[in-house]
Amino acid sequence: MTENTARPPVEIGLNAAVVAISGRSPCILAIGGDGAQARDALPFGPFDPRQHRTFETSLRASVQTQTALKLGYIEQLYTFGDRGRQKLPDEAGTHMVSVGYLALTRTDAEANERLAEAGARWRDWYSYLPWEDWRQGRPAVIDQLILPALKRWAAEEPLDDRVNLTPLPLTRVRLAFGLDDFPWDEERVLERYELLYEAGLAEEAVTDGRARPCQASPGTTMRHDHRRIVATAMARLRGKIKYRPVIFELMAPEFTLTELQATVEAISGRHLHKQNFRRLVEGAELVEPTGGSTSATGGRPAALFRFRRRILEERPAPGLKVGMR
């Protein structure tokens, strides 16, 4: 095989989108880079089969080495292997294919101190994707910046003459952002980010040479395609809480219903009516009272609850089926 046709070597890497709740805000664990212009990155490590038998054990070891954090629940998301994702000149050298993971954990003061010493920190995940946070209503950035730019892009995008199932650009915008007769679907996180990337509203697209520089892009830019991995993780978790009780991986062993509601709102990015939420929890039979209470909120004592583990034996898909908008 000649030098020009030889395939470049491929290396497998592992990325973790580690999610926790801190101060009722959803957070992503970020690794900072060097220099004032450095971008946030997700914890990452190469897979070495000589040291680890599985991707999962390798990921846990890499995260613990980089952040001093021991992961609890993890699940594989997707394989990210687009050409140019590492921005190597002329695609020279090793091509990095990354297997992304979603990981859920809890925060405490001791763990946060270890993270700081390791150069890692918790970042509000809506700082990366601010258009996804509807807890206080429709984000202003959607109408002020995103939609005008996307509509201009959709009008200029050349149409493909081939017959296929891909919607027209403007239809994609309507579906993703809930325009006209389409409702806002909180699970279409990745579709929305990819639209912004294609339209040049994500700074990563400019860095990758796939778009011209444009007006200020919304959200904090990340290294390589890590913001796409965050979007994938957010979409997965928003869907997952509807049919699996993974939300309790983010909760303390004992909690109030107000704390549980705030956590579900933080992940789903939407405000929930208090009484409707409590009826939803009661119908789902996911929690049980501990018999204790807390006055930590400063008001009337609030009853404490815990996850009712027997639900896993009673139902095939227990979760909090938060409805769409």
Side-chain angles (χ1 to χ4, degrees), residues 23 33 51 116 136 184 227 229 246 258 262 267 289 293 309-310 323:
Q51 295 187 41
Q136 304 300 322
W184 172 270
R227 194 153 53 141
I229 300 176
V246 293
T258 298
I267 297 302
S293 63
R309 296 187 181 278
R310 287 189 60 187

Side-chain angles (χ1 to χ4, degrees), residues 157-229:
E157 189 72 0
L159 298 181
D160 193 334
D161 292 333
R162 293 174 299 173
V163 177
N164 55 46
L165 298 179
T166 303
L168 298 175
L170 186 56
T171 302
R172 290 176 61 200
V173 175
R174 293 170 60 210
L175 282 167
F177 284 89
L179 303 181
D180 303 328
D181 296 331
F182 296 106
W184 172 270
D185 184 346
E186 63 268 16
E187 293 184 43
R188 292 183 178 268
V189 187
L190 181 59
E191 295 174 48
R192 288 187 281 271
Y193 173 73
E194 290 186 335
L195 271 174
L196 268 62
Y197 183 95
E198 291 179 40
L201 287 172
E203 187 64 29
E204 291 91 337
V206 179
T207 304
D208 294 348
R210 290 175 168 81
R212 299 187 305 273
C214 61
Q215 55 191 309
S217 61
T220 302
T221 307
M222 298 189 77
R223 202 179 309 169
H224 307 318
D225 55 359
H226 290 194
R227 194 153 53 141
R228 185 182 179 213
I229 300 176

